[in-house]
Amino acid sequence: AVGLLCSLAACGITAPRHNEGYADLGSLGVFDTDRTMALSIGPTLIKIAVWATDEDEPETAALLRELDGVRIRIYEIDGDAERVADRAREMSSQLQDHDWQPVMLIQEDGEQTSMLVRSRSERILGLTLITSDEDEAVVINVMGNLDPAHFSEAMAALDVDAPDVEVASVQSGG
């Protein structure tokens, strides 16, 4: 099993751990959560997605071309939701200790969401979103050469309802 996992990681099926935008994420608590989904997409699968969307959705394909990997974890909270929220805050704090900058924090009605980015020389290398409420927690890590302009173009192309947001420039961590 370990050999298969290593060979899959080496061929680009899963998100690359060596990428600068990779967020080293811990657990939200095995006694308080039940992981319902774990998805890790690497360069090979992203290239297939670009090929599949290139003609029909050029804006989405342009965004995908800049990605190196995407990791998504979804947890059902079946224990202490406040303890999970504390772990999510700790996860955010640990990322900040490793050159990730917080760009958004929302706390309202039992829900908290934080977004962090890792950047170098005016380039966003990674984006991590951590959100939890009383029932569910979601952690998303996107790696690559991320251009915020591509996000709005892709959202419009996919007809996704999203609020108008102006993206501020990110201070370089090094």
Side-chain angles (χ1 to χ4, degrees):
V2 171
L4 177 62
L5 181 62
C6 290
S7 64
L8 286 175
C11 70
I13 298 292
T14 61
R17 290 179 171 264
H18 64 277
N19 188 284
E20 289 185 272
Y22 181 89
D24 190 10
L25 305 168
S27 171
L28 289 176
V30 295
F31 297 113
D32 294 314
T33 63
D34 180 27
R35 187 162 58 182
T36 58
M37 187 180 95
L39 180 64
S40 180
I41 301 171
T44 301
L45 294 177
I46 291 170
K47 286 178 185 172
I48 292 169
V50 168
W51 174 78
T53 61
D54 207 7
E55 287 184 26
D56 297 332
E57 300 172 15
E59 296 88 359
T60 302
L63 171 65
L64 291 172
R65 273 190 206 93
E66 301 299 321
L67 298 182
D68 295 327
V70 177
R71 296 165 52 223
I72 302 170
R73 296 180 188 170
I74 300 175
Y75 302 88
E76 178 183 335
I77 298 174
D78 55 6
D80 187 339
E82 187 55 40
R83 203 165 34 220
V84 173
D86 288 343
R87 287 190 191 103
R89 283 188 287 274
E90 178 61 27
M91 188 181 286
S92 176
S93 178
Q94 287 175 359
L95 288 174
Q96 290 175 57
D97 290 343
H98 291 94
D99 296 330
W100 287 81
Q101 296 90 32
V103 293
M104 179 184 73
L105 175 62
I106 300 171
Q107 293 180 311
E108 62 183 17
D109 301 329
E111 183 176 338
Q112 69 175 19
T113 301
S114 60
M115 181 187 297
L116 301 100
V117 297
R118 186 176 225 183
S119 62
R120 299 267 190 271
S121 303
E122 303 297 320
R123 287 185 39 229
I124 298 175
L125 305 171
L127 178 140
T128 299
L129 181 79
I130 305 165
T131 186
S132 69
D133 60 22
E134 295 180 11
D135 302 313
E136 185 178 67
V138 178
V139 180
I140 301 171
N141 175 219
V142 180
M143 297 159 263
N145 183 20
L146 309 176
D147 181 354
H150 285 146
F151 292 130
S152 61
E153 292 168 1
M155 297 296 261
L158 294 172
D159 196 26
V160 174
D161 289 333
D164 291 331
V165 176
E166 267 191 49
V167 178
S169 65
V170 177
Q171 297 297 318
S172 176

